Amino acid sequence: MLTIKNLHANIDDKAILKGINLQVNPGEVHAIMGPNGSGKSTLANVLVGREEYQITQGEVRFEDQDLLNMAPEERARAGIFLAFQYPVEIPGVSNINFLKAALNNVRAARGLAKLDAIDLLQQVKDKMQQVKMNPDFLYRSVNEGFSGGEKKRNEVLQMLLLEPKLALLDETDSGLDIDALKIVADGVNALRSPERAIVLVTHYQRLLDYIVPDFVHVLSGGQIIKSGDKNLALELEQQGYGWLTEARA
Amino acid sequence: MAATQPQLTNLLSQEYQHGFVTDIETDTLPPGLNEEVVRTISAKKNEPEFMLEYRLKAYRHWLTMTPPDWAKLKIEPIDYQAITYYSAPKFKKDAPKSLDEVDPELLRTYEKLGIPLKEQEMLAGIAVDAVFDSVSVATTFKSKLAEKGVIFCSFSEALQEHPELVKKYLGTVVPHTDNFFAALNAAVFSDGSFCYIPKGVRCPMELSTYFRINAKSSGQFERTLIVAEEGSYVSYLEGCTAPMRDENQLHAAVVELIALENAQIKYSTVQNWYPGDKEGRGGIYNFVTKRGICRGKQAKISWTQVETGSAITWKYPSVILEADNTIGEFYSVALTNNLQQADTGTKMIHIGKNTRSTIISKGISAGHGQNSYRGLVKVLKNAQHARNYTQCDSLLLGSRCGAHTFPYIEVKNPTAQIEHEASTSKISEDQLFYCRQRGMGIEDAVSMIVNGFCKEVLKELPMEFAVEAQKLLGISLEGSVG
């Protein structure tokens, strides 16, 4: 589904990604871990087309398409979703209007008709129950005045509604208490299916107690330096990243 | 961002959609202004003597005046002798008696604008008076309104049919001496709408006037007068468009509203005059005086405006809260793109006791657009317990545009409560990216954010108008950040 080959990316002429190779197939859950500043978030942002990064080398294919040549909205319509590390506030725009605009754009790309207001509301309310959000949030401005946990749940709500083929979660667990973490994990697990892939970017192992990954990759210095199964995450939890990064040095 | 900017530029360069010219025979006076022209206009319209006197008085006063220069606007000097002051579509007979007699070319013009005048095709519940260049060409639903005693007709017709009403109220809110453009209008206005709601009547439909400038080098000077008798209610809509021309055209209208005891007037405008091209060539100069007076207790006047067009807008719809317990409201969205300039706002004059006013102003600037809010809240000595709430928000798209706020507050009574809030924000790259990551195109995203920014004002518009205004905001902007 997603094939990354020798991907290099800079920000302000500083190299962040220095040759990433990764294959993600439908049905798989990958966790990308690594110390701060290793390039985890950069990778997620490059995949969704954030424009301040310059791609200097490499190739990314999503299904049959050359991902790097697609505009951010085209990638979203093709089925790539990013749960943001820092969800953005949009004053004046109600959550429900935002969800409607997002969903109808994605549906149109899939050849589906627009949802009318009643069907939309029904779907949204069902998904809100899943992430234990009060329906009042629909009529508040997007993320404005939301707590950290509410913002993250709002991201998961959007993800559940848009049903992406590839979901990227960028540090979605950071700043969550254990109850909120479980809610987010339940949401992500509900999305797991043989047709979908999920890539979790995280600093800590604890999220992986709730969302069990098929593969764990350690990113350091802009490269994947080790890959393994879920046990790799446990090793990292016990020993930190030092033994891996030092071994390379 | 590098990849975003060219797309934004494309979006911002969307062309004006109403820029066609209608090829129609007109009866047009040569350019220039003197007493003879004023007399000719009056004679062509077969006006009563008092009207000619009024015009001449205004013209003589205008000669002593100079154009106002206090607004934050750059205006090329206007040659008032180069303007044509009267241009009317030529009808076979003197004036059309019914829609069947109106030139089909004209009807087509309005249909192109999305305003079908044939009654059977009309949106139920809106009566339209269409003003083409300076002359009213058709008023619909007249008979249905007449059943309720509502008078809704062209100004010319009102002068023929109801001269006593016109004489009683004309110039009582905006005197001919008020300002340069109001004086000019009083001298040369050729038509407009007149509306009278009798005591206790709730006008059964929205009344609407559609203004269209067509002829070259012509000015449009229309006059609107609305009188709401005790306990009556009326909602009035005004829309404006013009063809694309290289030279600037002057639009100097005067609107007067009079609300008597317990009456309510709601006046909504969606202004989309031609704004000029990207280099700032052409476009309408929209210099308009709009004012209402709450003359009887508990009267209420609301102005709602969505100003997206015109090269220059100079406009301050105001309310004089003369009687006790009266209410004035002003809701405004003003958008400037490319080289457009707007200096707009309101005046709320509190004279009576317990008078209340609300001002919500939303300014949006893109391109090199300059947008100023200018507002006066004045509380006079006897206005016990007057209250005002003012909120001025500006949204900037890009880094070459400007937003300015000039609030003036004069309070002469210590019991007054005045609140003023202001904010300036920008559509950020992060907001735009967030929307795009959820599948929205740049235009959809900006349009959604702008509409969100304006929603407090848009919700004041009647439904059909709100939809039109939303589309218009989308077309006029469609995205820009920096």
Side-chain angles (χ1 to χ4, degrees), chain B residues 9 47 137-138 205 246 248 273 310 359-361 372 449:
Chain B
T9 313
E47 288 178 348
V137 290
M205 59 184 74
D246 283 344
N248 297 107
W273 295 120
S310 297
I359 299 170
I360 309 281
S361 163
S372 301
I449 294 170

Side-chain angles (χ1 to χ4, degrees), chain B residues 346-368:
Chain B
T346 183
K347 288 188 276 186
M348 293 290 175
I349 314 296
H350 294 255
I351 300 171
K353 296 182 185 68
N354 303 312
T355 45
R356 282 182 287 150
S357 61
T358 303
I359 299 170
I360 309 281
S361 163
K362 305 277 181 178
I364 302 153
S365 319
H368 291 92

Side-chain angles (χ1 to χ4, degrees), chain B residues 51-212:
Chain B
M51 200 58 242
L52 175 63
E53 292 305 316
Y54 183 82
R55 288 178 180 280
L56 289 172
K57 213 164 50 178
Y59 173 70
R60 286 166 197 150
H61 190 80
W62 178 74
L63 289 175
T64 69
M65 301 174 91
T66 49
D69 59 359
W70 41 262
K72 191 174 167 55
L73 299 170
K74 275 188 207 138
I75 309 173
E76 292 292 313
I78 298 168
D79 180 357
Y80 290 90
Q81 294 306 331
I83 293 172
T84 300
Y85 290 86
Y86 184 82
S87 171
K90 213 178 238 171
F91 297 113
K92 292 202 182 77
K93 289 157 233 168
D94 281 330
K97 296 284 182 293
S98 76
L99 278 174
D100 303 339
E101 294 176 28
V102 174
D103 188 329
E105 272 286 313
L106 262 180
L107 287 183
R108 261 210 359 232
T109 299
Y110 281 93
E111 271 158 26
K112 270 192 211 169
L113 295 168
I115 311 148
L117 291 173
K118 290 192 202 135
E119 295 194 21
Q120 67 271 22
E121 292 172 6
M122 287 198 40
L123 277 171
I126 301 182
V128 180
D129 182 26
V131 178
F132 191 84
D133 286 331
S134 303
V135 173
S136 173
V137 290
T139 306
T140 57
F141 280 117
K142 234 184 238 179
S143 51
K144 195 169 170 201
L145 292 166
E147 284 168 26
K148 294 264 184 182
V150 173
I151 302 168
F152 177 47
C153 62
S154 70
F155 208 97
S156 311
E157 200 177 330
L159 275 169
Q160 304 301 322
E161 309 286 329
H162 312 281
E164 71 299 337
L165 284 174
V166 176
K167 193 173 177 184
K168 183 172 174 189
Y169 292 107
L170 180 72
T172 60
V173 191
V174 180
H176 68 274
T177 51
D178 192 80
N179 67 69
F180 184 84
F181 300 113
L184 180 61
N185 173 287
V188 301
F189 77 87
S190 33
D191 215 333
S193 296
F194 175 78
C195 172
Y196 177 85
I197 319 293
K199 192 171 167 176
V201 169
R202 193 179 164 89
C203 187
M205 59 184 74
E206 311 269 358
L207 302 184
S208 169
T209 298
Y210 220 95
F211 295 106
R212 170 99 181 147

Side-chain angles (χ1 to χ4, degrees), chain A residues 102-119:
Chain A
L103 188 59
N104 282 333
N105 269 296
V106 169
R107 284 177 66 91
R110 293 178 192 161
L112 298 170
K114 285 186 176 178
L115 277 188
D116 66 39
I118 294 165
D119 290 343

Side-chain angles (χ1 to χ4, degrees), chain A residues 138-183:
Chain A
L138 288 179
Y139 306 101
R140 288 175 55 179
S141 294
V142 177
N143 292 322
E144 196 183 32
F146 289 22
S147 72
E150 286 162 352
K151 283 183 183 172
K152 295 297 172 79
R153 272 190 274 170
N154 204 26
E155 293 293 289
V156 176
L157 170 67
Q158 293 175 19
M159 184 177 75
L160 290 172
L161 205 62
L162 297 177
E163 301 180 319
K165 290 179 186 161
L166 172 65
L168 309 168
L169 289 92
D170 187 7
E171 309 258 1
T172 300
D173 51 332
S174 66
L176 293 186
D177 63 28
I178 197 72
D179 292 331
L181 185 72
K182 278 185 190 159
I183 291 168

